[in-house]
Amino acid sequence: MKRVFSGVKPTGHLTLGNYLGAMRRWATVDQHQADALFCIVDLHALTVDHDPARVRRLSRQAATLLLASGLDPELCTVFVQSQVDEHARLSYVLECVATDGEMRRMIQYKEKAARERERGGSVRLSLLTYPVLMAADILAYGTDDVPVGDDQTQHVELARDLAVRFNQRYGHTFVVPRATPPQVAARVMSLQDPASKMGKSDDSGPGIVYLLDEPDVVRKKVMRAVTDSGRDVVYDRAAQPGVANLLEILAACTGGNPSELSGVYESYGSLKSATAEAVVETLRPVQERHRELCADPGYVEGVLRDGAERARAMARPTVDAAYRAIGLLPAAVGGSGAAETADIGVTV
């Protein structure tokens, strides 16, 4: 059975884009057809200025929402990245294979670094190197498929490049993964700026539908969505990005086709109304299950504890093999650690 790995970063509240672009497919497809791991990648949340308490809170919320979206711990592994040391262990080894030029060419680094500098802040080194940590997330588990939106495919390509380079230099160690983007709504755009992704880290609240938004809030945001000049409902991403975004969201919620749906609605208002109700109904079961899980926090903690244990057992053999391949001594087993250290020193 192929192995699938993907994750969410706890830098903001999860959005409709996260759900339609990734989480729903994880629950309905990936966990049933693969040996699947889904991770809250909290170490990635430390690459920019952050509130520690908020990161912990959002990490718990993200884990709860993953389960509420339909992930079943009997079918897949759900865990928190920082609770599995193998991610950080492998990341440094891969940094010794990656190049500075590769890191600086990453589109997300360029965009985030530019925004940080505009605010007068300094850019953390981890912002430059976190794509290598992402590669470690993927490669540690012998991942075959990485279900991601199109904005993350460059990072999967980096993981592929590092895996191939490591295997060529030090012997076959890693499976070379591939990105598997969904067919519809791979990238849900902001309702207020259809040229920008509906990102959970953005500040434009009116343009973002959060998974825990109340139904009336969802309706208000969709009804106020930016559309385009003209009156005809036409699916044309280049000429009518606002309308196209609504049609893609509606199609993703109802299982329809954006082009075919464009012929159903005669006005922007009717399209918005239909899209709003479709989103409300799509989120309803997720929100109901989320409330149930919040009433039993011990269950969620147990899922994460068991998930980290399983993930650790899966990752350790590959990471240990990478350490041996690149030239590091294996950990000593048995005896006194101090004595063994002294003996090694004398031998060397």
Side-chain angles (χ1 to χ4, degrees), residues 14-15 91 176 180:
L14 294 177
T15 73
S91 182
V176 180
T180 54

Side-chain angles (χ1 to χ4, degrees), residues 128-145:
L128 178 67
T129 61
Y130 92 90
V132 178
L133 176 57
M134 185 179 294
D137 299 337
I138 296 166
L139 299 180
Y141 297 99
T143 302
D144 299 293
D145 292 347

Side-chain angles (χ1 to χ4, degrees), residues 308-319:
E309 185 176 342
R310 289 200 303 270
R312 199 175 299 119
M314 283 188 273
R316 185 167 294 162
T318 298
V319 177

Side-chain angles (χ1 to χ4, degrees), residues 238-257:
Q240 293 188 302
V243 171
N245 189 38
L246 290 172
L247 287 167
E248 288 181 353
I249 292 171
L250 178 60
C253 289
T254 62
N257 178 280

